[in-house]
């Protein structure tokens, strides 16, 4: 059983560019949450998707947006990248209210 | 709003010694509690969880944690650590948000456990 998968593993972008990160949830899971983990910090909640709708959002600007597809996979989009957006982006999936399982993350570096 | 405080940012301990990683939380409602472990350059792996019932929770790799509601704590313990336990450990609390109809997971800043040979 494949766990949560994320792509790409690493990427480097320039300030002002846009980026799309992808996540496939664990089989049987219907809810996807995204987190940003800056170096030396705990993960910070960005938003959560269920039934293709954004259900909750953390304290992140509108530059951060997302989408969930009918197969439950999800994308995180970040526009107008800033240096401060450099971080590990983690996707977690769950079956509705139950515990979240995390993917390996995407390391984004903004130069 | 919930918050999580991990009282120690770094904990060095000798191999085969016991260890306790401390976690306190604040919340106005009932919560679920979790400990995750993160090895270098990897995602988070669930160690254990408290949802309800017995306050002593056992997890993987010989770890256990005790939920103390009166002290709003959820400390993680292991009686004898191994080199392979060197990693960063995150305490997290999940609180119900009625407006959104879902739970939100909030993490502490993490504790780096270093096991010394």
């Amino acid at each position: 059983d494949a766990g949560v998968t994320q792509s790409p593993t690493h990427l480097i972008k320039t300030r002002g560019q846009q980026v799309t990160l992808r996540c496939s949830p664990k089989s049987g899971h219907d809810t996807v949450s995204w987190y940003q983990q800056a170096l030396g910090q705990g993960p910070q909640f960005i938003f959560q998707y269920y039934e293709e709708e954004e259900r909750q959002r953390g304290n992140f600007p509108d530059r951060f947006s997302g989408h969930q597809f009918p197969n439950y996979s999800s994308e995180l989009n970040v526009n107008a990248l800033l240096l401060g957006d450099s971080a590990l982006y983690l996707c977690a999936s769950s079956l509705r209210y139950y515990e979240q399982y995390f993917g390996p993350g995407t390391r984004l570096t903004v130069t | 709003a919930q918050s999580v405080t991990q009282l120690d940012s770094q904990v060095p301990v000798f191999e085969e010694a016991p260890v306790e990683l401390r976690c306190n939380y604040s919340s106005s409602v009932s919560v679920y509690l979790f400990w995750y472990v993160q090895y270098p350059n990897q995602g988070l792996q669930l160690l254990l969880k408290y949802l309800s019932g017995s306050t002593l929770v056992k997890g993987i790799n010989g770890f256990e944690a005790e939920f103390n509601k009166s002290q709003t704590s959820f400390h993680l313990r292991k009686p004898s650590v191994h080199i392979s336990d060197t990693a960063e450990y995150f305490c997290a609390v999940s609180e119900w948000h009625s407006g959104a109809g879902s739970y939100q997971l909030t993490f502490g800043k993490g504790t780096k456990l270093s096991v010394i040979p």
Side-chain angles (χ1 to χ4, degrees):
Chain A
D1 173 31
V4 180
T5 60
Q6 293 186 243
S7 62
T9 305
H10 298 87
L11 76 165
I12 301 173
K13 290 287 188 178
T14 304
R15 276 179 298 177
Q17 286 188 317
Q18 179 264 347
V19 68
T20 297
L21 311 182
R22 296 177 176 82
C23 171
S24 291
K26 185 177 169 64
S27 177
H29 286 183
D30 58 7
T31 302
V32 174
S33 303
W34 286 92
Y35 296 83
Q36 180 194 67
Q37 186 179 18
L39 202 60
Q41 300 294 318
Q44 297 290 314
F45 174 73
I46 303 175
F47 41 55
Q48 182 182 83
Y49 277 85
Y50 171 68
E51 291 186 335
E52 302 180 48
E53 289 188 14
E54 183 182 293
R55 297 291 175 165
Q56 280 199 76
R57 188 179 184 90
N59 189 25
F60 280 81
D62 292 344
R63 298 186 298 109
F64 289 77
S65 63
H67 189 76
Q68 185 180 35
F69 299 94
N71 67 352
Y72 307 117
S73 66
S74 177
E75 288 182 349
L76 163 66
N77 301 292
V78 186
N79 294 322
L81 284 166
L82 304 173
L83 294 179
D85 295 331
S86 295
L88 180 67
Y89 287 85
L90 295 164
C91 168
S93 74
S94 60
L95 177 59
R96 203 60 182 103
Y97 309 130
Y98 295 94
E99 63 265 27
Q100 296 183 15
Y101 290 82
F102 284 78
T106 294
R107 174 74 63 187
L108 172 64
T109 302
V110 182
T111 63
Chain B
Q2 72 246 39
S3 66
V4 179
T5 302
Q6 292 185 241
L7 296 157
D8 305 294
S9 59
Q10 297 189 50
V11 173
V13 62
F14 285 103
E15 192 174 15
E16 297 184 5
V19 70
E20 178 180 80
L21 306 184
R22 297 179 294 168
C23 173
N24 286 91
Y25 70 93
S26 66
S27 175
S28 57
V29 298
S30 295
V31 296
Y32 297 153
L33 296 160
F34 304 86
W35 276 97
Y36 285 86
V37 60
Q38 187 175 36
Y39 298 100
N41 300 314
Q42 294 188 25
L44 278 69
Q45 180 182 6
L46 181 65
L47 268 181
L48 49 79
K49 63 191 178 193
Y50 172 78
L51 304 181
S52 65
S54 173
T55 57
L56 183 62
V57 179
K58 293 189 183 298
I60 63 171
N61 301 340
F63 283 93
E64 64 180 31
E66 186 159 17
F67 170 56
N68 188 318
K69 187 174 182 179
S70 63
Q71 297 186 5
T72 60
S73 67
F74 191 54
H75 300 333
L76 180 70
R77 302 186 183 102
K78 187 170 183 178
S80 176
V81 296
H82 301 130
I83 296 291
S84 59
D85 293 323
T86 295
E88 190 154 21
Y89 292 79
F90 292 94
C91 180
V93 59
S94 181
E95 184 180 77
W96 174 252
H97 287 246
S98 57
S102 67
Y103 284 92
Q104 180 174 327
L105 199 58
T106 300
F107 286 86
K109 292 187 175 182
T111 298
K112 290 184 179 177
L113 174 64
S114 299
V115 180
I116 306 163

